[in-house]
Amino acid sequence: MASPPRFRIGYAFSPKKEQTFILPSLVDYAKLHGIDLVRIDPRLPLLHQSPFHCIIHKLYDQSWVQQLRDFASLYPDVVVIDPPDQISRLLHRDSMLQVVNQITIPHGDERIEAPRQVVLHDLDVVAKDGLHAFRDLGLKFPVIAKPLEADGSSKSHDMCLVANDSGLKRLSAPIVLQEFVNHGGVVFKVYVVGECVVCVTRKSLPDIAEEELEKLEPVSNFSRISNSAAPGYGETESFGGNGEGNVEMPSLNFVMNVAAGLREAMGLTLFNFDLIRDSRDQNRYLVIDINYLPGYAKMPNYEPFLTKFFLDVVHKRTAGGDSNSSYVNENEVVFC
C-alpha cells in the first residue's frame, strides 16, 4: 500500500517571527497530517533548498523579494503565499486602509468604514498654526498617533493617544493621526486564513467622555494594549449572540463579508484585521488596522487552522481539491 503523499511547505521568517509562529505544536500537528514545515535560509539560493510545494514568507528586504520573484518565474507550480507586491500596501499606514472603502456589504444594517486619518510629514506646520490648522485636517481630539511604517518592527507598534495640541508638539514626523472612536473598550480581532475566519475579543482603549478629555495627559502611550484579553470577555467567543460582559459579537454574515471583501481587494490570504463598533452607532463598524501574517499562535486552536490551510493550498494546486469545510470543538467555531 502506497504511503500518503507528503508536502514541503517552506517558510522564510525573521528569527523572532519564526520563534512565535513555528511552534513545536504546529510542526508536530502538521507533520501528522502530511505537511513538513521547512525553514528557508534567505541568504542562500532558493534553488538549492527546494523542492517546495508552497512557500510562505514575511521578509521585506529587496534581495529576498527579487529572489522569490526569480524562483516563482522558474517554478510557477510552487504556490507563493502571498505575492510581495500585494503585501507591500500593508507596510504603510497611509495605504493600508484604502481597501476598506472597496468593500460592499450585500444586505443588513451593519456598515463598514475606515476611520478618518491624515499623514503628517511636517509637524512644525501644525505647531505653528495651532489648533485651527489641526481641525482643518478634519480631526478633533483625542486622536490616535501611529507610525507611518507598519513593517512589524517594535517601532511600528509605538502608538499613543493624543489629547490636545500640546501633545501634538511632542510627536515625531512622519506620523499618522487617526480619529478616535469610542468603542466600548473592546476590539474584535478577526483572523483570516484563506477562506476560514475566526473572531475573538481583546481589550482596547476605554471610552472617553468629552468632559474627561481635559484630565488626560497630552500624550498617553498604549503600545500593544490590544494584545491582552479584555477582563470578563472570552478569547474564543463565537460569532453571533451576546458575549460575556454584554459585548455583542458582530454577526457571522457581516464579519464573513468584510473578510471576503478585504481578501478580494488585497489579493491576500493570510492576515488579520482589527474591528471596532462605534458606541454611538451600533451598526457602524470600523477597520482600524490590518496586519499581514499576524501572530496566529495567539488564536485558539491555531494548529489545525493553519494545517488545513496548507493542505487546501497544495490539494488545490495538485488535484483541484475542495477547500470548504469547518472545524468545531467545545471552545470555538471556525467558519470556512
Side-chain angles (χ1 to χ4, degrees):
M1 183 175 178
S3 301
R6 302 199 64 81
F7 302 100
R8 285 170 53 92
I9 308 296
Y11 64 87
F13 296 152
S14 67
K16 180 180 178 180
K17 184 64 179 179
E18 179 178 356
Q19 185 178 15
T20 58
F21 187 93
I22 308 296
L23 301 184
S25 59
L26 176 62
V27 173
D28 293 342
Y29 190 94
K31 184 173 293 187
L32 188 64
H33 291 80
I35 296 290
D36 296 319
L37 294 169
V38 181
R39 182 181 181 274
I40 293 174
D41 187 339
R43 298 167 298 180
L44 301 176
L46 269 173
L47 290 173
H48 296 172
Q49 302 177 72
S50 60
F52 301 111
H53 294 89
C54 173
I55 293 175
I56 61 173
H57 64 105
K58 194 173 184 179
L59 297 174
Y60 304 128
D61 61 274
Q62 286 304 305
S63 61
W64 162 255
V65 171
Q66 188 59 51
Q67 184 178 185
L68 189 60
R69 286 171 177 160
D70 293 343
F71 182 86
S73 65
L74 290 173
Y75 296 95
D77 288 339
V78 177
V79 184
V80 175
I81 305 294
D82 279 299
D85 291 342
Q86 257 82 320
I87 298 172
S88 63
R89 77 174 69 192
L90 297 185
L91 304 183
H92 306 277
R93 289 193 169 91
D94 56 344
S95 59
M96 174 190 293
L97 300 181
Q98 291 175 358
V99 293
V100 177
N101 297 324
Q102 301 176 32
I103 300 174
T104 301
I105 305 300
H107 31 252
D109 297 326
E110 295 158 310
R111 309 184 310 278
I112 190 68
E113 301 176 14
R116 289 179 300 157
Q117 65 179 35
V118 294
V119 179
L120 295 183
H121 295 279
D122 188 353
L123 287 172
D124 290 337
V125 175
V126 177
K128 181 175 65 175
D129 295 338
L131 191 57
H132 293 296
F134 173 72
R135 286 176 174 164
D136 286 343
L137 296 174
L139 296 170
K140 65 177 182 178
F141 292 114
V143 292
I144 305 298
K146 301 181 176 183
L148 179 59
E149 303 298 322
D151 56 5
S153 64
S154 58
K155 183 179 178 181
S156 69
H157 295 289
D158 289 339
M159 306 178 194
C160 58
L161 183 73
V162 182
N164 50 45
D165 56 342
S166 174
L168 277 183
K169 297 174 184 177
R170 302 185 186 185
L171 304 178
S172 300
I175 200 161
V176 175
L177 299 181
Q178 190 178 91
E179 72 169 313
F180 174 79
V181 176
N182 283 330
H183 54 282
V186 172
V187 60
F188 305 105
K189 298 192 81 72
V190 183
Y191 294 90
V192 179
V193 179
E195 297 179 1
C196 296
V197 179
V198 68
C199 178
V200 299
T201 56
R202 292 288 187 271
K203 183 179 180 180
S204 184
L205 293 179
D207 288 353
I208 300 172
E210 198 165 331
E211 58 270 18
E212 296 174 345
L213 191 55
E214 294 182 357
K215 303 176 185 177
L216 296 177
E217 294 291 326
V219 177
S220 303
N221 293 320
F222 62 96
S223 177
R224 298 191 180 95
I225 191 171
S226 63
N227 287 339
S228 58
Y233 303 122
E235 295 187 15
T236 57
E237 294 283 357
S238 61
F239 290 108
N242 290 323
E244 296 180 46
N246 295 321
V247 173
E248 183 180 358
M249 298 290 285
S251 70
L252 163 62
N253 286 338
F254 176 72
V255 175
M256 293 293 283
N257 282 327
V258 174
L262 289 175
R263 188 170 55 236
E264 181 178 357
M266 297 188 299
L268 300 176
T269 55
L270 294 175
F271 62 94
N272 79 340
F273 58 96
D274 292 348
L275 188 69
I276 62 173
R277 178 193 287 115
D278 190 336
S279 295
R280 300 166 302 175
D281 182 350
Q282 293 296 297
N283 288 321
R284 182 185 184 229
Y285 289 85
L286 298 98
V287 175
I288 58 173
D289 212 357
I290 307 174
N291 302 289
Y292 184 70
L293 221 162
Y296 285 115
K298 298 174 186 175
M299 185 182 70
N301 207 26
Y302 97 111
E303 296 88 354
F305 199 63
L306 268 295
T307 300
K308 177 192 181 301
F309 172 74
F310 297 142
L311 289 171
D312 285 349
V313 167
V314 294
H315 284 155
K316 276 185 175 181
R317 175 64 72 171
T318 60
D322 183 5
S323 66
N324 292 325
S325 60
S326 64
Y327 291 102
V328 181
N329 64 30
E330 62 183 3
N331 294 319
E332 68 174 340
V333 178
V334 176
F335 296 96
C336 305

